Amino acid sequence: MPKLRFFTAGESHGQGLVGTLEGLPANTIISTDKINHQLWRRQQGYGRGGRMKIETDTAKILTGVRHGKSLGSPISLFIENRDWKNWEKIMAVEGDNPGKKLVEVPRPGHADLSGAIKYNQTDMRNILERASARETTTRVALGAIARQFLDALGIGIASHVLQIADVKSEKSLIRYGSPQWDIELQELNDRADKSPVRCIDTQIEGEMIALIEKAKQERDTCGGIFEVVAYNLPIGLGSHVHWDRRLDAQIAAAMMGIQAMKGVEIGDGFGGACRFGSQVHDEIYFDEASNHFFRKQNNAGGLEGGITNGMPLVVRVAMKPIATLMRPLDSVELISKKPVKAHVERSDVTAVPAAAVIGEAMLALVLADAVLDKFGGDSFEEIEQRYLEWGK
Ligand code: EPS
């Protein structure tokens, strides 16, 4: 069982979103401002739709924290949906659906059809409300708590957008340490946060924005690829001994659990599959002065045998284009089976920049669990002591 567990609840246009985090040690310093900063980061990005103008997401911690420190008990929090006031009747807990307005036409690429069949629903709002990526707000809030725990141990997490549709930057984190990568990892988020598309490659940034604008004009949507990195990690998180203890397996599951993700690579992933072993594997060296093993490249993305190897942990994630198109695709009415165009509902043109921030949160939750698994204790001080000792 994971040491750190979390649950989320909430519908996109319901009253709000609820999250619970269980297993965080006592005495971890927790700032609500830091949670809200991460929520703000998730709301950014060129290509977001009208909803982000309505919401200003902030978390209210309900339990598990006293005077700025965790108690070791479950932490729960609430995030209001400001849009709720426009949906009070449609999303009411009791009573009837006013006007009997149903979502009856599934969108290709969305959970609508499979969800409606599986859960025996005729109104696909009963599926889409929970399938919506609005839910990731809670994960970012809980991830922001995990992140404060990691940060106190010196572990950092950052992200950037590598690709939007077919516009691609060559500045991949895989090249960290080579002349093509010229940013300190500590500076990555500052740089990416300043870009409307989280792209650190200024020339490509403009092309990405132009492409999103084109998709918007054509009432289309686009996906892309983002990279998340964790740095200052110790050697030894995760394990080779069993499939579900491999850290790469846990990371892949966490990333694929984000709405609209279709692929995950660790390090050079699919790229490495096309080359010889001699070109892929990161040779091992030892530096006497600092008493450390080191590598000159990082195709493994910081993981070997499902265990962190001390290099930056690099995850790359592919997001499909948003399934709600303003120029809807062919579909079929759920009940009558009549061919019609898909349901259209306010949405985003792209959300890849926001997805990168969500990827950071998911990585924080997985890594905090891995740290607790390796160094576990009941208080932050107990863990910190073991952590520092191991680092020596
Ligand atoms: C989403 C549809 C849009 C997005 C939403 C995800 O919401 P709405 O239907 O209210 O316009 O903006 O994302 C968020 C609300 C969010 O907070 O990220 C969907 O269908 O997945």
Side-chain angles (χ1 to χ4, degrees):
M1 192 168 78
K3 297 281 182 292
L4 191 70
R5 299 179 292 164
F6 70 95
F7 285 93
T8 74
E11 279 72 43
S12 181
H13 304 98
Q15 299 178 54
L17 307 160
V18 179
T20 308
L21 184 66
E22 199 281 319
L24 195 77
N27 297 337
T28 306
I29 294 173
I30 292 168
S31 137
T32 308
D33 282 352
K34 286 191 178 167
I35 300 175
N36 291 340
H37 176 64
Q38 295 303 329
L39 292 178
W40 173 82
R41 292 179 68 230
R42 195 200 70 93
Q43 289 201 271
Q44 307 311 301
Y46 201 89
R48 299 305 298 274
R51 181 74 186 270
M52 290 304 99
K53 295 193 178 74
I54 299 173
E55 306 293 346
T56 311
D57 293 326
T58 51
K60 182 177 168 61
I61 293 180
L62 302 174
T63 66
V65 181
R66 182 164 182 243
H67 301 154
K69 283 186 181 176
S70 61
L71 298 172
S73 53
I75 298 174
S76 60
L77 50 80
F78 177 74
I79 300 153
E80 184 190 353
N81 280 330
R82 290 196 178 185
D83 206 12
W84 158 247
K85 60 178 186 300
N86 304 315
W87 292 80
E88 265 186 64
K89 291 213 171 74
I90 296 173
M91 292 300 291
V93 174
E94 292 186 67
D96 277 340
N97 185 353
K100 304 270 182 275
K101 256 180 78 182
L102 309 180
V103 178
E104 293 173 298
V105 188
R107 287 160 291 178
H110 210 279
D112 299 342
L113 179 61
S114 311
I117 293 171
K118 179 174 168 66
Y119 286 87
N120 191 27
Q121 299 294 332
T122 45
D123 182 1
M124 282 177 292
R125 180 158 301 287
N126 289 342
I127 301 303
L128 71 86
E129 283 289 333
R130 181 62 184 163
S132 165
R134 175 81 190 141
E135 180 266 346
T136 60
T137 314
T138 322
R139 295 199 237 174
V140 169
L142 299 177
I145 297 175
R147 195 179 183 120
Q148 291 180 60
F149 167 72
L150 295 172
D151 195 48
L153 296 172
I155 299 170
I157 296 180
S159 71
H160 72 120
V161 170
L162 196 64
Q163 191 168 336
I164 298 278
D166 61 352
V167 178
K168 184 177 179 184
S169 163
E170 291 306 315
K171 277 190 185 245
S172 165
L173 278 157
I174 292 303
R175 305 211 167 83
Y176 172 73
S178 77
Q180 292 133 301
W181 183 270
D182 54 359
I183 301 172
E184 291 300 327
L185 294 178
Q186 287 82 351
E187 293 166 13
L188 177 60
N189 265 353
D190 284 345
R191 283 274 294 272
D193 282 355
K194 289 196 180 84
S195 162
V197 281
R198 288 199 77 66
C199 179
I200 50 174
D201 191 328
T202 39
Q203 194 189 330
I204 299 295
E205 175 189 59
E207 290 178 36
M208 286 179 175
I209 292 172
L211 190 105
I212 296 168
E213 212 33 60
K214 182 167 177 270
K216 189 176 177 184
Q217 298 310 323
E218 292 175 3
R219 297 185 297 147
D220 216 324
T221 58
C222 38
I225 297 175
F226 64 84
E227 283 186 334
V228 186
V229 62
Y231 51 91
N232 294 341
L233 285 171
I235 296 179
L237 301 182
S239 176
H240 64 288
V241 301
H242 204 245
W243 67 271
D244 56 354
R245 294 185 59 193
R246 288 181 176 262
L247 196 61
D248 31 18
Q250 295 172 11
I251 291 168
M255 295 300 166
M256 290 299 282
I258 303 171
Q259 291 82 340
M261 301 310 142
K262 280 295 197 186
V264 180
E265 293 177 85
I266 304 286
D268 199 22
F270 287 90
C274 313
R275 294 183 285 125
F276 291 114
S278 57
Q279 300 165 310
V280 172
H281 297 300
D282 311 320
E283 291 175 292
I284 302 170
Y285 303 95
F286 189 76
D287 179 42
E288 301 278 348
S290 66
N291 199 31
H292 272 99
F293 294 102
F294 74 96
R295 320 291 176 106
K296 294 181 185 168
Q297 58 178 35
N298 188 22
N299 287 328
L303 281 164
E304 287 167 315
I307 308 172
T308 52
N309 66 5
M311 292 294 281
L313 197 160
V314 179
V315 195
R316 208 181 280 161
V317 189
M319 181 179 192
K320 69 184 177 186
I322 303 256
T324 311
L325 271 69
M326 295 302 133
R327 184 158 47 91
L329 299 173
D330 287 350
S331 185
V332 172
E333 221 173 52
L334 186 65
I335 306 297
S336 69
K337 316 291 187 290
K338 207 171 64 191
V340 278
K341 289 292 176 191
H343 172 72
V344 178
E345 164 141 339
R346 175 188 63 192
S347 194
D348 308 319
V349 178
T350 191
V352 182
V357 175
I358 300 158
E360 289 180 30
M362 291 307 284
L363 189 59
L365 287 158
V366 172
L367 289 178
D369 176 62
V371 168
L372 291 171
D373 186 47
K374 172 101 185 90
F375 303 99
D378 299 305
S379 68
F380 181 77
E381 295 77 6
E382 206 178 340
I383 292 160
E384 187 182 36
Q385 195 188 0
R386 291 182 193 157
Y387 189 83
L388 296 175
E389 191 59 34
W390 174 257
K392 287 182 202 153

